[in-house]
Amino acid sequence: MVTNHQVLFNKVTSTGLPKPGETTKPGSQEIDVDNVPLNGGVLTRNIAVSLDPTMRNRLKGDIGYFSPPYVEGKPISAIGVAEVYRSDVPDFQPGDVVSVWSLGIEEWTLHPKEAVQGFRKFTEEQLDLGLTITTWLGAAGMPGMTAWMSLKEIIGDMKAGNKMFVSGAAGPVGQMVIQLAHEAGVKVIASAGSDEKCEFVKSLGADEVINYKTEDVLAKLKSFAGDTGVHYYYDNVGGKQLEAYLTVAATYGIIVGCGYISGYHGDVYSPNNLFNIVTRQVKYIGFIVSSFLPKWLGPFLEEVPQMLASGKIQNKEDVRFGVLSAEQAFVDLFTGNNSGKVAVLIDTERADRWNLKQK
Amino acid sequence: MVTNHQVLFNKVTSTGLPKPGETTKPGSQEIDVDNVPLNGGVLTRNIAVSLDPTMRNRLKGDIGYFSPPYVEGKPISAIGVAEVYRSDVPDFQPGDVVSVWSLGIEEWTLHPKEAVQGFRKFTEEQLDLGLTITTWLGAAGMPGMTAWMSLKEIIGDMKAGNKMFVSGAAGPVGQMVIQLAHEAGVKVIASAGSDEKCEFVKSLGADEVINYKTEDVLAKLKSFAGDTGVHYYYDNVGGKQLEAYLTVAATYGIIVGCGYISGYHGDVYSPNNLFNIVTRQVKYIGFIVSSFLPKWLGPFLEEVPQMLASGKIQNKEDVRFGVLSAEQAFVDLFTGNNSGKVAVLIDTERADRWNLKQK
């Protein structure tokens, strides 16, 4: 018997920050990992999970969100990486490392047969690239896919010399967007919530930066826009920064609607200048990565992990150690008390194998 | 010498309804139509003008709108139809009837040479179709083009069985959208501001109607949406109706952003659920017809006037007689005190020739 430590969903939290001990609480169960019946499913020993802003919306009960709400008393779930320990499914054998679309934040998970559809097995080649395992949850995982696929799908070929505004720029999606835009010759202005983060996004290739907590976003955008306006807006936050963009949007401007972090805690700010969408013929297009995996996953996996391994693209991550650290890490994600993509290494015993070191 | 009666712009009016006598005022000038020097331009005897909601934004001074603000003391201008009286431009000869992109609301206009770029000469065939001259300002003019071209450009092939919401449905753009959508087998719910207008849009093919002044728009939309959601929204008004649509939008819903009438008087309502654009992967795309004339004007003129002449498409219009009636007609456009596309016949003396009768 082993003790399976878990982070459980405790109580619906509609507004404000999630609170450790109230929104979530630690839990545990005893599990006989060598004998528990699998009933056609798979038992995994969990390696790491990603913490993403989108999870905030699953703490609100049934609000009609595209991902289902968390269930009280059960582990909250996230995108993760796990190792198959035992399996009733021929495609997955003990020792296989898999990416899991919905993994409980716990040390062991017994996946029913149907859940195995959400598994993707890593190839030897992929694991041999030497990336930290959590990179597969960041730049080589869902956030990286979101950035890469949404730019391909919504903007297509970015035009060198055009201008882009990226909000939430220090987050894992923003990081990737900046690097890809910069690579394409696009001039980038990027906003983030601290001077340190601004320095970081500058190091990734942002031409100008805005600390949205201390600086006047609109004034800086106006100066950046000059006579041309700003052609693209990669929007992770919505609200006031979306309003500011609409003030400087170029004719035929394109907004990639990737997130709306500013509204996730219930205090929604609504831009008062949507009319500019009409008058400037702006395209504002929402994007959910899962819709585009069938189309773009193959090309993404061909290209991006290799770019990361060669250092052509950087991935800054903030990896916390131990399953229970997820509670505080999830709060830090929203207060800005993180530096880079937030992930949790659950399998701390084998940190070396996953190319990670505790700081 | 003749007296050229005019409607002059008098004073910037940023909020509220335009006021005859304050926002605009009647004026006149003496003009020697047979001898005034043309300096390379064209003198027209004006036939009719269109009154469109977009003109409201030109009363606000320089707000960065895509059409320039009106100039105090000069006639307000609109899209119109005129007859060439004298010309220094070889392409336009006395007697030619022309569509004019920007025509002063006055009986005679002296167009400088450069302004003649905005002229389009009617062919004999077009004039022989027997449409009222003001139809060329409505269903066969800018509003009809807006409806027809925006559907082609933004939605493309409408899918039979899909659902569409049309706001501002009794207006000239809405009328055309309903008929085209109905023709394509799309189920249409349409909103307008009176029971009479609702009956009218039903007669055009709307399956369901909403009197937005007396009925619960969201409740009716929810019932119409059922399990499928609403696939298309043709938005003429923005604000609360846009918010209501975002509540019932289908995944991959498409919003044609054609207007934002609800905000034109300065009292802007901002939808609080823009996040749904992201989560439902909605496309919200602004449209200005002038951008698409080079691409679509030819096909439009091939198809639509003929459909109107044959009765396949209807055009309901509310034509006021006499240049000075424009002042009150412009107010009626916003209070809903109109029935159909609002236009002003300036050349009342020759009403018969323009296929119009005063009611």
Side-chain angles (χ1 to χ4, degrees), chain A residues 57 65-66 242 252 257-260 264 268 270-272 274-275 277-279 281-288 291-292, chain B residues 57 65-66 242 252 257-258 260 264 268 270-272 274-275 277-279 281-288 291-292:
Chain A
N57 296 295
Y65 194 59
F66 66 90
L242 174 55
Y252 309 120
C258 177
Y260 212 97
Y264 289 1
V268 176
S270 303
N272 68 18
L274 292 184
F275 183 40
I277 290 180
V278 178
T279 58
Q281 307 185 64
V282 167
K283 289 185 167 58
Y284 178 13
I285 300 183
F287 183 85
I288 302 290
S291 300
F292 293 93
Chain B
N57 297 294
Y65 194 59
F66 66 90
L242 173 55
Y252 308 120
C258 177
Y260 212 95
Y264 289 1
V268 176
S270 303
N272 69 17
L274 292 184
F275 183 40
I277 291 180
V278 179
T279 58
Q281 305 184 67
V282 167
K283 289 185 167 56
Y284 179 12
I285 300 183
F287 183 84
I288 302 288
S291 299
F292 294 93

Short mmCIF file of all heavy atoms in Angstrom, two decimals, chain A residues 57 65-66 242 252 257-260 264 268 270-272 274-275 277-279 281-288 291-292, chain B residues 57 65-66 242 252 257-258 260 264 268 270-272 274-275 277-279 281-288 291-292:
data_model
loop_
_atom_site.label_atom_id
_atom_site.label_comp_id
_atom_site.label_asym_id
_atom_site.label_seq_id
_atom_site.Cartn_x
_atom_site.Cartn_y
_atom_site.Cartn_z
N ASN A 57 -11.68 28.95 -14.31
CA ASN A 57 -13.10 28.92 -14.68
C ASN A 57 -13.78 27.62 -14.28
O ASN A 57 -15.00 27.53 -14.28
CB ASN A 57 -13.23 29.16 -16.18
CG ASN A 57 -12.74 30.55 -16.55
OD1 ASN A 57 -13.33 31.55 -16.13
ND2 ASN A 57 -11.63 30.62 -17.27
N TYR A 65 -18.93 26.53 -19.08
CA TYR A 65 -17.57 26.65 -19.64
C TYR A 65 -17.28 25.43 -20.50
O TYR A 65 -17.87 24.37 -20.33
CB TYR A 65 -16.57 26.75 -18.48
CG TYR A 65 -15.20 27.21 -18.88
CD1 TYR A 65 -15.03 28.44 -19.50
CD2 TYR A 65 -14.08 26.43 -18.64
CE1 TYR A 65 -13.76 28.87 -19.87
CE2 TYR A 65 -12.81 26.86 -19.00
CZ TYR A 65 -12.66 28.08 -19.62
OH TYR A 65 -11.40 28.51 -19.98
N PHE A 66 -16.35 25.59 -21.44
CA PHE A 66 -16.11 24.48 -22.37
C PHE A 66 -15.41 23.30 -21.70
O PHE A 66 -15.49 22.19 -22.21
CB PHE A 66 -15.37 24.94 -23.63
CG PHE A 66 -13.97 25.43 -23.40
CD1 PHE A 66 -12.91 24.56 -23.46
CD2 PHE A 66 -13.73 26.78 -23.15
CE1 PHE A 66 -11.61 25.02 -23.27
CE2 PHE A 66 -12.45 27.23 -22.95
CZ PHE A 66 -11.38 26.35 -23.00
N LEU A 242 -7.71 45.21 -23.89
CA LEU A 242 -8.44 45.04 -25.15
C LEU A 242 -9.00 46.39 -25.61
O LEU A 242 -8.91 46.77 -26.78
CB LEU A 242 -9.57 44.02 -24.94
CG LEU A 242 -10.56 43.79 -26.08
CD1 LEU A 242 -9.86 43.43 -27.38
CD2 LEU A 242 -11.58 42.71 -25.70
N TYR A 252 -8.36 46.74 -40.58
CA TYR A 252 -8.18 45.30 -40.78
C TYR A 252 -7.31 44.66 -39.69
O TYR A 252 -6.69 43.62 -39.92
CB TYR A 252 -7.59 44.96 -42.16
CG TYR A 252 -8.31 45.59 -43.32
CD1 TYR A 252 -7.65 46.46 -44.19
CD2 TYR A 252 -9.66 45.32 -43.56
CE1 TYR A 252 -8.32 47.05 -45.27
CE2 TYR A 252 -10.33 45.90 -44.62
CZ TYR A 252 -9.66 46.77 -45.47
OH TYR A 252 -10.32 47.34 -46.53
N GLY A 257 -8.13 36.07 -29.96
CA GLY A 257 -8.77 36.03 -28.63
C GLY A 257 -8.41 34.73 -27.95
O GLY A 257 -9.08 33.72 -28.11
N CYS A 258 -7.33 34.77 -27.18
CA CYS A 258 -6.82 33.53 -26.59
C CYS A 258 -7.26 33.37 -25.15
O CYS A 258 -7.43 32.27 -24.65
CB CYS A 258 -5.30 33.56 -26.68
SG CYS A 258 -4.54 32.14 -25.91
N GLY A 259 -7.45 34.47 -24.44
CA GLY A 259 -7.83 34.38 -23.04
C GLY A 259 -8.45 35.68 -22.59
O GLY A 259 -8.53 36.65 -23.36
N TYR A 260 -8.92 35.69 -21.35
CA TYR A 260 -9.57 36.87 -20.80
C TYR A 260 -9.27 36.90 -19.30
O TYR A 260 -10.17 37.06 -18.48
CB TYR A 260 -11.08 36.80 -21.09
CG TYR A 260 -11.72 38.17 -21.30
CD1 TYR A 260 -11.93 38.67 -22.59
CD2 TYR A 260 -12.10 38.96 -20.21
CE1 TYR A 260 -12.51 39.91 -22.78
CE2 TYR A 260 -12.68 40.21 -20.40
CZ TYR A 260 -12.89 40.67 -21.69
OH TYR A 260 -13.47 41.91 -21.90
N TYR A 264 -11.34 36.58 -15.11
CA TYR A 264 -11.54 35.23 -14.57
C TYR A 264 -12.00 35.21 -13.11
O TYR A 264 -12.57 34.23 -12.66
CB TYR A 264 -10.28 34.38 -14.70
CG TYR A 264 -9.95 33.97 -16.12
CD1 TYR A 264 -10.73 34.37 -17.20
CD2 TYR A 264 -8.85 33.16 -16.40
CE1 TYR A 264 -10.41 34.00 -18.50
CE2 TYR A 264 -8.53 32.78 -17.69
CZ TYR A 264 -9.30 33.21 -18.73
OH TYR A 264 -8.98 32.84 -20.01
N VAL A 268 -15.49 41.67 -14.23
CA VAL A 268 -15.30 41.82 -15.68
C VAL A 268 -15.34 43.28 -16.10
O VAL A 268 -16.29 43.99 -15.79
CB VAL A 268 -16.40 41.06 -16.44
CG1 VAL A 268 -16.28 41.29 -17.94
CG2 VAL A 268 -16.35 39.58 -16.12
N SER A 270 -15.65 45.71 -19.30
CA SER A 270 -16.09 45.61 -20.70
C SER A 270 -15.62 46.81 -21.49
O SER A 270 -15.94 47.93 -21.15
CB SER A 270 -17.62 45.56 -20.74
OG SER A 270 -18.08 44.49 -19.96
N PRO A 271 -14.86 46.59 -22.54
CA PRO A 271 -14.37 47.70 -23.36
C PRO A 271 -15.54 48.53 -23.88
O PRO A 271 -16.55 47.96 -24.29
CB PRO A 271 -13.68 46.99 -24.52
CG PRO A 271 -13.36 45.63 -24.03
CD PRO A 271 -14.43 45.28 -23.05
N ASN A 272 -15.38 49.84 -23.87
CA ASN A 272 -16.49 50.71 -24.28
C ASN A 272 -16.37 51.15 -25.74
O ASN A 272 -17.09 52.05 -26.17
CB ASN A 272 -16.60 51.92 -23.35
CG ASN A 272 -15.43 52.86 -23.51
OD1 ASN A 272 -14.70 52.82 -24.50
ND2 ASN A 272 -15.22 53.71 -22.53
N LEU A 274 -16.20 48.95 -28.64
CA LEU A 274 -16.35 47.84 -29.59
C LEU A 274 -16.73 48.35 -30.97
O LEU A 274 -16.51 47.67 -31.97
CB LEU A 274 -17.43 46.87 -29.12
CG LEU A 274 -17.10 46.07 -27.88
CD1 LEU A 274 -18.24 45.08 -27.61
CD2 LEU A 274 -15.79 45.33 -28.04
N PHE A 275 -17.31 49.54 -31.01
CA PHE A 275 -17.68 50.11 -32.32
C PHE A 275 -16.47 50.19 -33.24
O PHE A 275 -16.61 50.09 -34.46
CB PHE A 275 -18.32 51.48 -32.10
CG PHE A 275 -18.80 52.14 -33.36
CD1 PHE A 275 -19.42 51.40 -34.37
CD2 PHE A 275 -18.64 53.51 -33.55
CE1 PHE A 275 -19.87 52.02 -35.53
CE2 PHE A 275 -19.10 54.12 -34.70
CZ PHE A 275 -19.70 53.38 -35.70
N ILE A 277 -14.43 47.97 -33.73
CA ILE A 277 -14.35 46.70 -34.47
C ILE A 277 -15.03 46.87 -35.82
O ILE A 277 -14.53 46.40 -36.85
CB ILE A 277 -14.98 45.55 -33.66
CG1 ILE A 277 -14.09 45.24 -32.45
CG2 ILE A 277 -15.19 44.31 -34.54
CD1 ILE A 277 -14.61 44.13 -31.56
N VAL A 278 -16.16 47.56 -35.82
CA VAL A 278 -16.87 47.81 -37.07
C VAL A 278 -16.10 48.80 -37.94
O VAL A 278 -15.77 48.51 -39.09
CB VAL A 278 -18.28 48.36 -36.79
CG1 VAL A 278 -19.00 48.65 -38.10
CG2 VAL A 278 -19.09 47.40 -35.93
N THR A 279 -15.78 49.96 -37.37
CA THR A 279 -15.26 51.04 -38.21
C THR A 279 -13.87 50.74 -38.76
O THR A 279 -13.52 51.20 -39.82
CB THR A 279 -15.21 52.38 -37.46
OG1 THR A 279 -14.38 52.22 -36.30
CG2 THR A 279 -16.59 52.80 -37.03
N GLN A 281 -12.87 47.64 -39.20
CA GLN A 281 -12.97 46.33 -39.87
C GLN A 281 -12.02 45.32 -39.24
O GLN A 281 -11.32 44.57 -39.92
CB GLN A 281 -12.72 46.48 -41.36
CG GLN A 281 -13.65 47.53 -41.97
CD GLN A 281 -13.53 47.63 -43.46
OE1 GLN A 281 -13.84 46.70 -44.18
NE2 GLN A 281 -13.08 48.78 -43.94
N VAL A 282 -12.06 45.33 -37.91
CA VAL A 282 -11.20 44.42 -37.16
C VAL A 282 -11.79 43.01 -37.17
O VAL A 282 -13.00 42.84 -37.20
CB VAL A 282 -11.07 44.95 -35.70
CG1 VAL A 282 -10.47 43.91 -34.78
CG2 VAL A 282 -10.27 46.24 -35.68
N LYS A 283 -10.93 42.02 -37.18
CA LYS A 283 -11.33 40.63 -36.98
C LYS A 283 -10.95 40.24 -35.55
O LYS A 283 -9.77 40.27 -35.20
CB LYS A 283 -10.57 39.70 -37.92
CG LYS A 283 -10.94 39.78 -39.37
CD LYS A 283 -10.17 38.68 -40.13
CE LYS A 283 -10.67 38.44 -41.52
NZ LYS A 283 -10.66 39.56 -42.43
N TYR A 284 -11.95 39.86 -34.74
CA TYR A 284 -11.69 39.43 -33.37
C TYR A 284 -12.12 37.97 -33.31
O TYR A 284 -13.32 37.67 -33.41
CB TYR A 284 -12.50 40.31 -32.42
CG TYR A 284 -12.41 40.00 -30.94
CD1 TYR A 284 -11.46 39.16 -30.39
CD2 TYR A 284 -13.30 40.61 -30.05
CE1 TYR A 284 -11.40 38.93 -29.03
CE2 TYR A 284 -13.25 40.39 -28.68
CZ TYR A 284 -12.30 39.53 -28.18
OH TYR A 284 -12.26 39.29 -26.82
N ILE A 285 -11.17 37.08 -33.18
CA ILE A 285 -11.47 35.66 -33.36
C ILE A 285 -11.00 34.85 -32.16
O ILE A 285 -9.84 34.89 -31.77
CB ILE A 285 -10.80 35.15 -34.66
CG1 ILE A 285 -11.35 35.97 -35.85
CG2 ILE A 285 -11.04 33.65 -34.85
CD1 ILE A 285 -10.85 35.55 -37.19
N GLY A 286 -11.96 34.15 -31.56
CA GLY A 286 -11.63 33.33 -30.39
C GLY A 286 -10.96 32.03 -30.80
O GLY A 286 -11.23 31.50 -31.88
N PHE A 287 -10.09 31.55 -29.91
CA PHE A 287 -9.31 30.36 -30.26
C PHE A 287 -9.22 29.41 -29.07
O PHE A 287 -8.85 29.82 -27.97
CB PHE A 287 -7.88 30.79 -30.66
CG PHE A 287 -7.02 29.63 -31.09
CD1 PHE A 287 -7.08 29.17 -32.40
CD2 PHE A 287 -6.19 28.98 -30.19
CE1 PHE A 287 -6.29 28.09 -32.81
CE2 PHE A 287 -5.41 27.90 -30.58
CZ PHE A 287 -5.46 27.46 -31.90
N ILE A 288 -9.56 28.17 -29.31
CA ILE A 288 -9.37 27.11 -28.30
C ILE A 288 -8.52 26.03 -28.96
O ILE A 288 -8.90 25.48 -30.00
CB ILE A 288 -10.73 26.50 -27.88
CG1 ILE A 288 -11.68 27.56 -27.33
CG2 ILE A 288 -10.53 25.37 -26.88
CD1 ILE A 288 -11.30 28.12 -26.00
N SER A 291 -9.59 22.49 -30.52
CA SER A 291 -10.28 22.38 -31.81
C SER A 291 -9.33 22.18 -32.97
O SER A 291 -9.74 21.76 -34.04
CB SER A 291 -11.07 23.67 -32.10
OG SER A 291 -12.02 23.90 -31.09
N PHE A 292 -8.08 22.56 -32.78
CA PHE A 292 -7.16 22.57 -33.92
C PHE A 292 -6.05 21.53 -33.82
O PHE A 292 -5.16 21.49 -34.66
CB PHE A 292 -6.60 23.98 -34.12
CG PHE A 292 -7.67 24.94 -34.54
CD1 PHE A 292 -8.37 25.69 -33.61
CD2 PHE A 292 -8.04 25.03 -35.88
CE1 PHE A 292 -9.40 26.54 -34.00
CE2 PHE A 292 -9.06 25.87 -36.27
CZ PHE A 292 -9.74 26.63 -35.33
N ASN B 57 -22.40 59.72 -36.69
CA ASN B 57 -21.03 59.83 -36.18
C ASN B 57 -20.26 61.01 -36.76
O ASN B 57 -19.22 61.39 -36.24
CB ASN B 57 -20.29 58.52 -36.43
CG ASN B 57 -20.94 57.38 -35.66
OD1 ASN B 57 -20.92 57.37 -34.44
ND2 ASN B 57 -21.55 56.45 -36.39
N TYR B 65 -13.40 59.08 -36.85
CA TYR B 65 -14.30 58.19 -37.59
C TYR B 65 -13.80 58.02 -39.02
O TYR B 65 -13.08 58.87 -39.53
CB TYR B 65 -15.71 58.81 -37.57
CG TYR B 65 -16.81 57.87 -38.00
CD1 TYR B 65 -17.04 56.68 -37.31
CD2 TYR B 65 -17.64 58.17 -39.08
CE1 TYR B 65 -18.06 55.83 -37.69
CE2 TYR B 65 -18.66 57.32 -39.46
CZ TYR B 65 -18.87 56.15 -38.77
OH TYR B 65 -19.87 55.31 -39.13
N PHE B 66 -14.19 56.92 -39.67
CA PHE B 66 -13.64 56.67 -41.01
C PHE B 66 -14.18 57.63 -42.05
O PHE B 66 -13.56 57.82 -43.09
CB PHE B 66 -13.82 55.20 -41.43
CG PHE B 66 -15.23 54.76 -41.62
CD1 PHE B 66 -15.83 54.87 -42.86
CD2 PHE B 66 -15.94 54.23 -40.57
CE1 PHE B 66 -17.14 54.46 -43.04
CE2 PHE B 66 -17.25 53.81 -40.75
CZ PHE B 66 -17.85 53.93 -41.99
N LEU B 242 -25.95 42.57 -28.70
CA LEU B 242 -24.69 41.85 -28.93
C LEU B 242 -24.40 40.94 -27.73
O LEU B 242 -24.03 39.78 -27.87
CB LEU B 242 -23.56 42.85 -29.16
CG LEU B 242 -22.13 42.33 -29.27
CD1 LEU B 242 -22.00 41.26 -30.34
CD2 LEU B 242 -21.16 43.48 -29.55
N TYR B 252 -17.99 28.42 -32.89
CA TYR B 252 -17.62 28.95 -34.22
C TYR B 252 -18.69 29.91 -34.77
O TYR B 252 -18.79 30.07 -35.99
CB TYR B 252 -17.37 27.83 -35.24
CG TYR B 252 -16.40 26.78 -34.79
CD1 TYR B 252 -16.79 25.44 -34.70
CD2 TYR B 252 -15.10 27.11 -34.44
CE1 TYR B 252 -15.88 24.46 -34.28
CE2 TYR B 252 -14.20 26.15 -34.01
CZ TYR B 252 -14.60 24.83 -33.94
OH TYR B 252 -13.72 23.87 -33.51
N GLY B 257 -20.14 42.42 -38.02
CA GLY B 257 -20.22 43.69 -37.30
C GLY B 257 -20.45 44.82 -38.28
O GLY B 257 -19.52 45.39 -38.81
N CYS B 258 -21.73 45.12 -38.50
CA CYS B 258 -22.09 46.08 -39.54
C CYS B 258 -22.35 47.46 -38.97
O CYS B 258 -22.12 48.46 -39.61
CB CYS B 258 -23.31 45.56 -40.26
SG CYS B 258 -23.91 46.68 -41.51
N TYR B 260 -23.40 49.84 -34.99
CA TYR B 260 -23.45 49.86 -33.54
C TYR B 260 -24.42 50.97 -33.13
O TYR B 260 -24.09 51.82 -32.31
CB TYR B 260 -22.05 50.09 -32.96
CG TYR B 260 -21.81 49.41 -31.63
CD1 TYR B 260 -21.21 48.15 -31.57
CD2 TYR B 260 -22.21 50.01 -30.44
CE1 TYR B 260 -20.98 47.51 -30.36
CE2 TYR B 260 -21.99 49.38 -29.22
CZ TYR B 260 -21.37 48.13 -29.18
OH TYR B 260 -21.15 47.50 -27.97
N TYR B 264 -24.54 55.13 -30.96
CA TYR B 264 -24.23 56.31 -31.77
C TYR B 264 -24.53 57.63 -31.07
O TYR B 264 -23.99 58.67 -31.44
CB TYR B 264 -24.99 56.28 -33.10
CG TYR B 264 -24.49 55.25 -34.09
CD1 TYR B 264 -23.45 54.38 -33.78
CD2 TYR B 264 -25.06 55.14 -35.35
CE1 TYR B 264 -23.02 53.43 -34.68
CE2 TYR B 264 -24.62 54.18 -36.27
CZ TYR B 264 -23.61 53.33 -35.92
OH TYR B 264 -23.18 52.40 -36.82
N VAL B 268 -22.98 54.42 -24.57
CA VAL B 268 -22.50 53.12 -25.04
C VAL B 268 -22.70 52.04 -23.98
O VAL B 268 -22.24 52.19 -22.85
CB VAL B 268 -21.00 53.20 -25.40
CG1 VAL B 268 -20.48 51.84 -25.80
CG2 VAL B 268 -20.77 54.20 -26.51
N SER B 270 -21.62 48.31 -22.97
CA SER B 270 -20.56 47.36 -23.32
C SER B 270 -20.92 45.96 -22.85
O SER B 270 -21.14 45.76 -21.66
CB SER B 270 -19.26 47.78 -22.66
OG SER B 270 -18.94 49.10 -23.04
N PRO B 271 -21.00 45.02 -23.75
CA PRO B 271 -21.34 43.65 -23.37
C PRO B 271 -20.37 43.12 -22.33
O PRO B 271 -19.16 43.35 -22.44
CB PRO B 271 -21.19 42.86 -24.67
CG PRO B 271 -21.29 43.87 -25.75
CD PRO B 271 -20.74 45.13 -25.20
N ASN B 272 -20.89 42.42 -21.32
CA ASN B 272 -20.01 41.95 -20.23
C ASN B 272 -19.55 40.52 -20.43
O ASN B 272 -19.01 39.92 -19.51
CB ASN B 272 -20.70 42.13 -18.88
CG ASN B 272 -21.86 41.18 -18.72
OD1 ASN B 272 -21.99 40.19 -19.44
ND2 ASN B 272 -22.74 41.46 -17.77
N LEU B 274 -17.70 39.23 -23.28
CA LEU B 274 -16.81 39.05 -24.44
C LEU B 274 -15.98 37.79 -24.32
O LEU B 274 -15.49 37.26 -25.33
CB LEU B 274 -15.85 40.24 -24.57
CG LEU B 274 -16.48 41.58 -24.94
CD1 LEU B 274 -15.38 42.61 -25.12
CD2 LEU B 274 -17.29 41.45 -26.22
N PHE B 275 -15.82 37.31 -23.10
CA PHE B 275 -15.06 36.08 -22.91
C PHE B 275 -15.65 34.93 -23.74
O PHE B 275 -14.93 34.02 -24.16
CB PHE B 275 -15.02 35.73 -21.42
CG PHE B 275 -14.20 34.52 -21.10
CD1 PHE B 275 -12.99 34.26 -21.73
CD2 PHE B 275 -14.64 33.61 -20.14
CE1 PHE B 275 -12.25 33.14 -21.42
CE2 PHE B 275 -13.90 32.49 -19.83
CZ PHE B 275 -12.69 32.24 -20.47
N ILE B 277 -16.50 35.10 -26.66
CA ILE B 277 -15.86 35.11 -27.99
C ILE B 277 -14.69 34.13 -28.00
O ILE B 277 -14.50 33.39 -28.96
CB ILE B 277 -15.38 36.54 -28.36
CG1 ILE B 277 -16.61 37.42 -28.61
CG2 ILE B 277 -14.45 36.51 -29.58
CD1 ILE B 277 -16.29 38.86 -28.97
N VAL B 278 -13.96 34.10 -26.90
CA VAL B 278 -12.84 33.16 -26.80
C VAL B 278 -13.36 31.73 -26.66
O VAL B 278 -13.03 30.86 -27.46
CB VAL B 278 -11.94 33.51 -25.58
CG1 VAL B 278 -10.81 32.50 -25.47
CG2 VAL B 278 -11.41 34.93 -25.69
N THR B 279 -14.22 31.51 -25.67
CA THR B 279 -14.56 30.12 -25.33
C THR B 279 -15.39 29.44 -26.42
O THR B 279 -15.31 28.24 -26.57
CB THR B 279 -15.33 30.04 -24.01
OG1 THR B 279 -16.51 30.83 -24.12
CG2 THR B 279 -14.48 30.57 -22.87
N GLN B 281 -15.13 30.38 -29.57
CA GLN B 281 -14.36 30.54 -30.80
C GLN B 281 -15.16 31.29 -31.86
O GLN B 281 -15.23 30.88 -33.02
CB GLN B 281 -13.90 29.17 -31.31
CG GLN B 281 -13.13 28.43 -30.22
CD GLN B 281 -12.56 27.11 -30.70
OE1 GLN B 281 -11.67 27.10 -31.53
NE2 GLN B 281 -13.04 26.03 -30.15
N VAL B 282 -15.75 32.37 -31.38
CA VAL B 282 -16.57 33.20 -32.25
C VAL B 282 -15.66 34.07 -33.13
O VAL B 282 -14.58 34.48 -32.70
CB VAL B 282 -17.51 34.08 -31.39
CG1 VAL B 282 -18.15 35.19 -32.19
CG2 VAL B 282 -18.56 33.20 -30.71
N LYS B 283 -16.11 34.31 -34.34
CA LYS B 283 -15.46 35.31 -35.20
C LYS B 283 -16.33 36.55 -35.21
O LYS B 283 -17.49 36.48 -35.64
CB LYS B 283 -15.37 34.79 -36.64
CG LYS B 283 -14.41 33.68 -36.90
CD LYS B 283 -14.38 33.40 -38.41
CE LYS B 283 -13.25 32.52 -38.87
NZ LYS B 283 -13.14 31.22 -38.25
N TYR B 284 -15.79 37.68 -34.78
CA TYR B 284 -16.52 38.95 -34.77
C TYR B 284 -15.76 39.86 -35.74
O TYR B 284 -14.63 40.26 -35.45
CB TYR B 284 -16.54 39.50 -33.35
CG TYR B 284 -17.22 40.84 -33.13
CD1 TYR B 284 -18.02 41.45 -34.09
CD2 TYR B 284 -17.10 41.49 -31.90
CE1 TYR B 284 -18.64 42.66 -33.85
CE2 TYR B 284 -17.72 42.70 -31.64
CZ TYR B 284 -18.49 43.28 -32.62
OH TYR B 284 -19.10 44.50 -32.37
N ILE B 285 -16.37 40.15 -36.87
CA ILE B 285 -15.62 40.81 -37.93
C ILE B 285 -16.35 42.07 -38.40
O ILE B 285 -17.52 42.03 -38.78
CB ILE B 285 -15.43 39.83 -39.11
CG1 ILE B 285 -14.65 38.60 -38.60
CG2 ILE B 285 -14.71 40.49 -40.28
CD1 ILE B 285 -14.31 37.57 -39.64
N GLY B 286 -15.64 43.18 -38.31
CA GLY B 286 -16.22 44.45 -38.73
C GLY B 286 -16.21 44.59 -40.25
O GLY B 286 -15.32 44.06 -40.92
N PHE B 287 -17.21 45.31 -40.75
CA PHE B 287 -17.36 45.41 -42.20
C PHE B 287 -17.73 46.83 -42.61
O PHE B 287 -18.66 47.41 -42.08
CB PHE B 287 -18.48 44.46 -42.66
CG PHE B 287 -18.67 44.46 -44.16
CD1 PHE B 287 -17.88 43.65 -44.95
CD2 PHE B 287 -19.62 45.27 -44.76
CE1 PHE B 287 -18.04 43.64 -46.34
CE2 PHE B 287 -19.78 45.28 -46.15
CZ PHE B 287 -18.99 44.46 -46.93
N ILE B 288 -17.00 47.37 -43.55
CA ILE B 288 -17.31 48.67 -44.14
C ILE B 288 -17.39 48.45 -45.64
O ILE B 288 -16.44 47.98 -46.27
CB ILE B 288 -16.20 49.71 -43.85
CG1 ILE B 288 -15.98 49.88 -42.36
CG2 ILE B 288 -16.53 51.05 -44.52
CD1 ILE B 288 -17.05 50.60 -41.62
N SER B 291 -14.75 49.26 -48.54
CA SER B 291 -13.54 48.47 -48.73
C SER B 291 -13.73 47.35 -49.74
O SER B 291 -12.75 46.82 -50.26
CB SER B 291 -13.12 47.82 -47.41
OG SER B 291 -12.85 48.79 -46.45
N PHE B 292 -14.97 46.96 -49.97
CA PHE B 292 -15.20 45.78 -50.79
C PHE B 292 -15.87 46.08 -52.13
O PHE B 292 -16.20 45.16 -52.87
CB PHE B 292 -15.99 44.73 -49.99
CG PHE B 292 -15.17 44.21 -48.84
CD1 PHE B 292 -15.25 44.79 -47.59
CD2 PHE B 292 -14.25 43.19 -49.05
CE1 PHE B 292 -14.45 44.34 -46.54
CE2 PHE B 292 -13.45 42.74 -48.01
CZ PHE B 292 -13.54 43.31 -46.75
#
